[in-house]
Amino acid sequence: MLVLKEWRRLVWWPGIAFVLAFAIVEIGQLDRAIATAFFYRPQTGWLGEGAGAWWARELIHQDGRWLPRSVAALAGFGWLASFAVPALKPWRRELLYVFCGMALVIGLVGGLKELTNVDCPWDLAGFGGNNPYVPLFEHRPHGLKHAACFPAAHSSSGFALLAIYFALRGRAPRAARVAFWSAVAVGVTFSFAQEARGAHFFSHDLTSAGIAWLILAWLYSAMLAPKALQIEPRERKGEQAGSETAHDVA
C-alpha cells in the first residue's frame, strides 16, 4: 500500500500534538477551569446565553451551520456538473474529495457523540445543571440521562472546511494557505460560541479538530496525493535495490 512521503508532517506529528494536548487537558482537569475563567459566572450564567444569545446561538450556531453545509453541497454539485461542464473536469477529484471529506468528518463526529455518552457543560452541577462531572474515561453513574456532547459536532463542521486546504495544496499553494487559515478561523469561532453557550468544553472542540485533520489527511493520501509524494512499500523497494545490485555485479 502506498503511503505519503511526508506522512510525518501530515499525520504523525499532528497526531502526537493532539494526543499530548488532550492528555494535558484531561489529566489536568482543565476543561472546567477554562469554562469558569472565560465563559461562566455563577451570578450571570453563560456568556453566550441571555444577552449573548444573539451572537452565540442565533448567529454563529444556527446561521453559521449553513456555511459548511453550503460548501459541501456546492462541492457535490460541482462534482456532478464536472461530467457535463468541461471547465470543471480538471477539478473533478478535488470536488469529490471536498464533499466526501466534509461528509465523513461531520458524520463520524456526529456518530461518536451519540456513543460517548458525555454531558454538556450546561447540564453539570456548578454550571447551571444538576449532573455530576464524570471524566471521559470513568464509569458514568446509572440513572443519568443519555448525553451526546463529545466530540463537538458544530465545530467539526467548521474544521471540516480544511478539506479545501487539502484539495488545493498540490495545485494552488497560496490559495491553500488562505483556505487553511480560513477553515481554522471558522472552526475556532464555532468552538468559542459553543463553549460560551455551555454546549461544550474545550476538550470537546479540540477532539473534533484532531479528528477532522487526521481524517482529511488520510483521505488526501488516498484520493489526491501526487505520486511525487508517495513512496513504494519496503518490500518492493528492497526488490528493486537487489535487482540494481545484481545488475551492477553483472
Side-chain angles (χ1 to χ4, degrees), residues 168-211:
L168 295 174
R169 74 187 301 268
R171 302 184 62 170
R174 182 174 298 180
R177 286 192 292 271
V178 173
F180 174 86
W181 290 112
S182 298
V184 170
V186 173
V188 170
T189 300
F190 283 6
S191 300
F192 183 88
Q194 288 296 84
E195 290 176 41
R197 296 179 61 222
H200 293 292
F201 281 129
F202 175 78
S203 66
H204 302 187
D205 294 304
L206 175 65
T207 301
S208 291
I211 290 174

Side-chain angles (χ1 to χ4, degrees), residues 39 47-49 51-61 189 192-194 196-197:
F39 303 116
L47 177 66
E49 290 297 328
W54 71 270
W55 62 268
R57 180 169 58 86
E58 297 174 12
L59 179 62
I60 299 179
H61 183 238
T189 300
F192 183 88
Q194 288 296 84
R197 296 179 61 222

Side-chain angles (χ1 to χ4, degrees), residues 60-199:
I60 299 179
H61 183 238
Q62 294 181 354
D63 296 338
R65 70 181 65 179
W66 290 104
L67 174 60
R69 289 179 181 180
S70 298
V71 171
L74 286 173
F77 285 127
W79 176 73
L80 291 174
S82 69
F83 292 94
V85 180
L88 292 176
K89 185 176 180 180
W91 293 92
R92 184 177 296 167
R93 282 198 308 165
E94 285 79 3
L95 290 166
L96 181 61
Y97 169 83
V98 170
F99 175 78
C100 292
M102 294 188 68
L104 187 58
V105 169
I106 296 171
L108 179 60
V109 171
L112 283 174
K113 66 180 290 190
E114 295 295 332
L115 296 175
T116 54
N117 198 17
V118 174
D119 284 307
C120 299
W122 58 35
D123 291 322
L124 300 178
F127 292 101
N130 299 309
N131 291 352
Y133 174 78
V134 181
L136 179 62
F137 299 107
E138 291 190 9
H139 178 70
R140 183 176 173 85
H142 294 291
L144 294 181
K145 184 179 178 181
H146 179 78
C149 294
F150 175 88
H154 189 54
S155 65
S156 76
S157 66
F159 291 120
L161 292 169
L162 286 165
I164 303 174
Y165 158 74
F166 282 102
L168 295 174
R169 74 187 301 268
R171 302 184 62 170
R174 182 174 298 180
R177 286 192 292 271
V178 173
F180 174 86
W181 290 112
S182 298
V184 170
V186 173
V188 170
T189 300
F190 283 6
S191 300
F192 183 88
Q194 288 296 84
E195 290 176 41
R197 296 179 61 222

